[in-house]
Amino acid sequence: MDQEFSYFCYRCGGENSVNLPMPKAPEYHHTNLICSNCGDGTHILVSHCPSCTRYVYWINDISIPDLVGGFARYMVHNMQALIDKAAIQGATISIDTPDSYPISATCPCGEHLSIEIGIPDLD
Ligand SMILES: [Zn+2]
Ligand SMILES: [Zn+2]
C-alpha cells in the first residue's frame, strides 16, 4: 500500500514528494529520505492508521530504530552490571529483555496507534 508523502526539507525548505509503503500499525516503514534539491538526508518513520485513510509519521535527523537499538544496548549493559553485582551478593535476578519498544500516537480520527520498534538481539 504505497501512498504519496510530501514534506519540506529542513535545510533548504524545498518540497519533496515520494511514494512510501505505509503499512498499518503496529507495522511501520522506516527509510532515509534524500532531498531532491540539496541532497540533505532525513529519517522518516511512517505508519498507517488501521481505522481511517490517514497516516502518522515521525521525521527526524536521526533514525528512531537506531536510537531505540542504541538505548536498549545501553540499558542492557547497565542492567547486566546490576545483575553481576547482585550475583556477587548471592542474589539472582532475572530480567526479561523486551524484544520491541512501542511508540504511541493518536490519529486525528481518535484511533490510538502503537507501533513496535524491534529491539536487536543483544546477547
Ligand atoms: Zn533540501
Ligand atoms: Zn485514523
Side-chain angles (χ1 to χ4, degrees), residues 2 9 22 43-44 77 82 106 110 114 116 119:
D2 283 21
C9 174
M22 294 193 183
H43 293 271
I44 181 167
H77 179 79
L82 273 177
T106 304
S114 186
E116 306 267 330
I119 293 175

Side-chain angles (χ1 to χ4, degrees), residues 49-55 107-111 113:
C49 177
S51 320
C52 73
T53 58
R54 297 184 186 91
Y55 55 86
C107 179
C109 78
E111 177 80 17
L113 312 184

Side-chain angles (χ1 to χ4, degrees), residues 6-70:
S6 296
Y7 73 101
F8 292 95
C9 174
Y10 284 145
R11 190 197 275 173
C12 74
E15 187 172 10
N16 289 274
S17 191
V18 286
N19 280 314
L20 293 177
M22 294 193 183
K24 286 189 190 336
E27 303 287 305
Y28 65 91
H29 179 71
H30 179 260
T31 194
N32 194 14
L33 300 176
I34 304 294
C35 176
S36 58
N37 193 38
C38 74
D40 194 36
T42 193
H43 293 271
I44 181 167
L45 191 64
V46 63
S47 187
H48 202 281
C49 177
S51 320
C52 73
T53 58
R54 297 184 186 91
Y55 55 86
V56 293
Y57 67 95
W58 292 261
I59 198 160
N60 212 313
D61 282 345
I62 53 164
S63 156
I64 292 175
D66 285 356
L67 186 68
V68 169

